[in-house]
Amino acid sequence: MILSRIKKNKLLATVAMVYLLLSLAQPDKAWQALSNSSYYLLEMAQIMPVIFLLTVSIEILVPKEWILSHFGKDSGMVGNLLSLVLGSISAGPIYAAFPIGKMLLSKGASVGNVVIILSSWAVIKVPMLANEAKFLGVQFMATRWVLTVVLILLMGFLMQKLVKEEEITVEKVDADEVLSVEQDYCIGCGLCANIAPEVYAMDQGKALVVVAGDISKYTETIKETADKCPAKAIHYN
Ligand code: F3S
């Protein structure tokens, strides 16, 4: 149980381990790092609920067809410009943009347009431009804005060519963590191995899970086997 939780949260576990080692080797540095992390966590705790609320609202209220036609692959230059505007008028730190980017991708926005939204959110937000003009002058701000926009559009174009939507939107699901056959219940009818021979195999009258690693592409077939198994021996969660 604990091991599977650690496996699911590898990054968090690694960070905790680094903190532990640092606190043993250099307690003062560990304390300083912890207080910096707490500051950012507190900041995130204040911002993220609003962002999640916004993400859910867009998800519920904005039809998929609308996002597809305005930000999808075929939205062309209009989609690029809309993305640029959307990113520029946004507020909040860049990490708040990632859940929105993921939601837009899942509703049909193209990779290129999501890159444009994220990039303009990060470097050409309107409040940022106003501050930049105040401290560094209008000419500096305007020149940087023009050059940045050109590069953002180019980056969107290249990312669209290099990255596939499915690689981002499809969550990886590890077979070890979510799929098992309860050997005591299995009556060896072989139905699961017939439906999904790439996932199960029969061994001495019992079904075994033989697929390893990411099983996201078999999700539907596995659900079907779990539903149809007469002994309800297949556990998938
Ligand atoms: Fe056993 Fe159910 Fe498969 S009984 S063989 S796990 S369909």
Side-chain angles (χ1 to χ4, degrees):
M1 186 72 176
I2 294 176
L3 265 180
S4 85
R5 273 179 190 276
I6 291 177
K7 256 181 154 182
K8 267 189 191 162
N9 301 286
K10 287 186 196 101
L11 184 62
L12 202 60
T14 311
V15 171
M17 184 59 75
V18 170
Y19 268 121
L20 189 69
L21 293 174
L22 192 63
S23 64
L24 293 174
Q26 297 193 14
D28 52 326
K29 290 269 188 312
W31 180 249
Q32 200 181 341
L34 199 63
S35 85
N36 283 344
S37 301
S38 311
Y39 173 82
Y40 285 111
L41 281 175
L42 205 65
E43 186 190 84
M44 282 174 82
Q46 289 166 349
I47 291 168
M48 291 319 274
V50 181
I51 294 299
F52 285 129
L53 205 64
L54 184 68
T55 310
V56 171
S57 307
I58 299 175
E59 188 136 29
I60 294 169
L61 299 174
V62 184
K64 189 169 182 169
E65 299 71 41
W66 193 88
I67 292 188
L68 206 57
S69 64
H70 290 81
F71 296 98
K73 250 191 242 153
D74 299 326
S75 58
M77 205 54 195
V78 174
N80 292 168
L81 292 177
L82 276 176
S83 305
L84 206 61
V85 172
L86 184 65
S88 301
I89 58 169
S90 58
I94 180 64
Y95 57 76
F98 299 133
I100 294 180
K102 181 161 185 183
M103 181 275 298
L104 287 172
L105 272 175
S106 69
K107 292 200 91 174
S110 69
V111 169
N113 283 336
V114 170
V115 167
I116 293 172
I117 294 170
L118 293 180
S119 308
S120 33
W121 187 313
V123 287
I124 52 167
K125 267 191 305 234
V126 173
M128 185 189 280
L129 294 177
N131 254 328
E132 186 176 347
K134 190 174 141 203
F135 286 102
L136 299 167
V138 174
Q139 195 189 354
F140 181 98
M141 180 276 289
T143 312
R144 189 187 72 83
W145 183 85
V146 171
L147 293 175
T148 309
V149 167
V150 172
L151 289 175
I152 285 176
L153 292 175
L154 178 67
M155 189 156 54
F157 173 78
L158 291 175
M159 286 288 282
Q160 183 64 44
K161 299 273 172 226
L162 297 172
V163 180
K164 292 188 173 54
E165 269 100 15
E166 317 81 74
E167 287 172 10
I168 310 169
T169 49
V170 176
E171 302 260 355
K172 286 194 167 49
V173 183
D174 201 9
D176 288 354
E177 292 168 20
V178 295
L179 181 64
S180 62
V181 174
E182 196 151 347
Q183 297 296 299
D184 290 343
Y185 290 1
C186 175
I187 54 172
C189 69
L191 189 85
C192 54
N194 280 336
I195 295 175
E198 60 281 28
V199 178
Y200 310 94
M202 300 306 294
D203 182 42
Q204 299 181 1
K206 300 278 182 184
L208 295 175
V209 175
V210 288
V211 69
D214 180 25
I215 52 168
S216 50
K217 62 180 171 188
Y218 303 122
T219 304
E220 289 312 311
T221 327
I222 291 170
K223 279 184 188 160
E224 187 189 342
T225 58
D227 282 347
K228 289 187 174 167
C229 171
K232 295 287 167 233
I234 296 172
H235 299 292
Y236 178 64
N237 39 56

